[in-house]
Amino acid sequence: MEHARLQVLDARSDAARCPVVRSFFDETTFTATHVVHDPVSRQAAIIDSVLDYDPASGRTQHGTAARIVDYVVAEGLTVAWQLETHAHADHLSAAPWLQTQVGGKLGIGRDIVRVQSVFGKIFNAGTEFARDGSQFDALFDDGSQFHLGTIPVTCLHVPGHTPADMAYIIGDAAFIGDTLFMPDYGTARADFPGGSATTLFASVRRLLTLPDETRVFLCHDYKAPGRDYFAWETTIGAERASNVHVHDGVDEATFVAMRTQRDATLNLPTLIMPSVQVNIRGGRLPEPEDNGTSYIKIPINVL
C-alpha cells in the first residue's frame, strides 16, 4: 500500500495536470455524480452516476443521467470511463444506460467479487448470477494506473465502508466515494456486510497522507447541522484539520468506538434492496423472469 501511495505522489508531481470537474447533485438520493475531464484531450470519466428509481412503483427513469449526457455533448467530451467507487447501497447506477448514450468502459475495484459473493447469498441470486466481476469491463487493483487523456490516474483501495471501495486520484483531484464526507459531517458508516470501522480508519488515514491541496470530491452530502446548503468538494488539508470524526489527533480506538456506537443508531438506506441487487450487476436489472419482467427481492428478517 505504501508503494502505491508513493506512486500517486509521483504521478501528481506535474502541477499542470489539473482536470476539469463538473458535479451533478441528486437531492433525492443526496448523491454527487462527477464528470471529470482532461482539458487537453477532452477525454472524460463519469464517476458514480444515478439512475432515477421510484420505490413505490418500481419505475426507473433517466432524467438525472440525461443532464450528464447533455453536458458531455455540449462540452464536446469523449467519455473513456464510467467509474464506480463501490457498489452503492443508496442509489442505483445509471452506468449501463450512459454507456449506450456516450460510451466509456465500466470500472470498479476488484474486491467487488467479495460483495457479489456476500449479497449473492443474501438475495439467493442463484448460479446464473456470476460472482466474478464479469459484469464490469475493468476490475482495478490497489495501485492500478491508467491515463485520462494526458492526466495520470491512480486507483487506491480504501475499504471499510464496504470491502470494495476504491478512490480514484486523477491529477490533483481525489474521488473518494463514501469514505469521507464534508469535514462538518464526518465519515461513512461501516456496518454493512463486510464493513469494518477499523479498516475504515486505516483507509481514511491513508487518504489523508495525500497533499493538503488535493481537491476532494465526495459521493454524498446530507447537510451537517447548522449548514443549509449541500456541498461535495473539499480538500485533504480541510479534512485533516477539521473532520469532526477523524481529524488529525483522533486515534483508532476513539474512532472505532464512535463509529460503532453511531452506526448502531442508523436505519438502513431506503433504497438498499434495489440498489445493491442492481449495482452488483454493474447497474443492470436482474434478469427478467419468464413473463419478461425483472423483480427486486426483499429478504425478510435478514439485514
Side-chain angles (χ1 to χ4, degrees):
M1 291 177 68
E2 180 68 15
H3 177 64
R5 184 183 75 83
L6 293 175
Q7 285 182 316
V8 171
L9 299 183
D10 291 344
R12 296 182 65 260
S13 63
D14 185 352
R17 293 179 172 177
C18 180
V20 176
V21 181
R22 171 73 161 86
S23 301
F24 296 81
F25 192 74
D26 173 45
E27 289 194 31
T28 301
T29 62
F30 306 102
T31 303
T33 297
H34 307 292
V35 182
V36 53
H37 78 265
D38 168 26
V40 177
S41 67
R42 306 201 71 75
Q43 192 172 97
I46 299 171
I47 303 175
D48 292 335
S49 60
V50 175
L51 177 69
D52 301 327
Y53 177 78
D54 176 19
S57 66
R59 292 189 177 276
T60 61
Q61 294 183 313
H62 304 106
T64 299
R67 294 166 55 208
I68 295 171
V69 173
D70 291 344
Y71 172 77
V72 166
V73 172
E75 293 295 315
L77 306 180
T78 299
V79 176
W81 289 99
Q82 305 279 345
L83 299 176
E84 301 287 355
T85 55
H86 62 294
H88 308 275
D90 40 32
H91 70 272
L92 284 66
S93 171
W97 184 81
L98 284 167
Q99 285 181 301
T100 69
Q101 304 299 305
V102 294
K105 294 186 291 184
L106 178 57
I108 199 168
R110 185 173 299 280
D111 275 15
I112 186 62
V113 299
R114 292 180 56 193
V115 179
Q116 289 176 327
S117 178
V118 170
F119 281 99
K121 294 175 183 176
I122 288 174
F123 291 114
N124 197 29
T127 57
E128 66 274 15
F129 170 56
R131 296 157 169 83
D132 58 2
S134 57
Q135 300 85 350
F136 300 84
D137 300 312
L139 300 179
F140 301 118
D141 295 305
D142 184 47
S144 289
Q145 294 187 321
F146 57 94
H147 277 75
L148 187 67
T150 64
I151 300 177
V153 180
T154 298
C155 305
L156 295 183
H157 185 212
V158 286
H161 174 60
T162 79
D165 284 68
M166 189 67 69
Y168 302 100
I169 315 302
I170 305 178
D172 74 335
F175 301 85
I176 65 171
D178 290 8
T179 307
L180 284 166
F181 296 135
M182 291 298 290
D184 59 359
Y185 201 87
T187 57
R189 65 193 299 165
D191 60 332
F192 293 146
S196 164
T198 300
T199 302
L200 179 62
F201 181 81
S203 293
V204 168
R205 294 312 309 177
R206 185 186 191 198
L207 287 171
L208 296 183
T209 64
L210 293 169
D212 282 355
E213 64 272 18
T214 303
R215 294 182 290 160
V216 176
F217 293 90
L218 313 173
C219 188
H220 295 289
D221 186 57
Y222 305 96
K223 292 182 181 175
R227 174 159 54 86
D228 61 1
Y229 59 90
F230 292 108
W232 49 81
E233 180 180 353
T234 182
T235 66
I236 290 295
E239 294 282 12
R240 290 184 58 192
S242 58
N243 185 286
V244 294
H245 291 169
V246 71
H247 57 79
D248 282 353
V250 175
D251 62 24
E252 178 184 293
T254 301
F255 174 80
V256 170
M258 177 282 302
R259 190 69 264 172
T260 301
Q261 183 178 17
R262 182 178 175 87
D263 288 350
T265 70
L266 300 177
N267 294 323
L268 287 175
T270 301
L271 296 182
I272 187 171
M273 298 301 181
S275 294
V276 174
Q277 285 176 80
V278 168
N279 294 336
I280 60 176
R281 292 175 166 87
R284 299 169 186 86
L285 298 176
E287 286 296 317
E289 297 190 8
D290 56 10
N291 63 354
T293 300
S294 294
Y295 291 88
I296 297 295
K297 293 181 176 180
I298 300 179
I300 305 301
N301 299 324
V302 173
L303 294 177

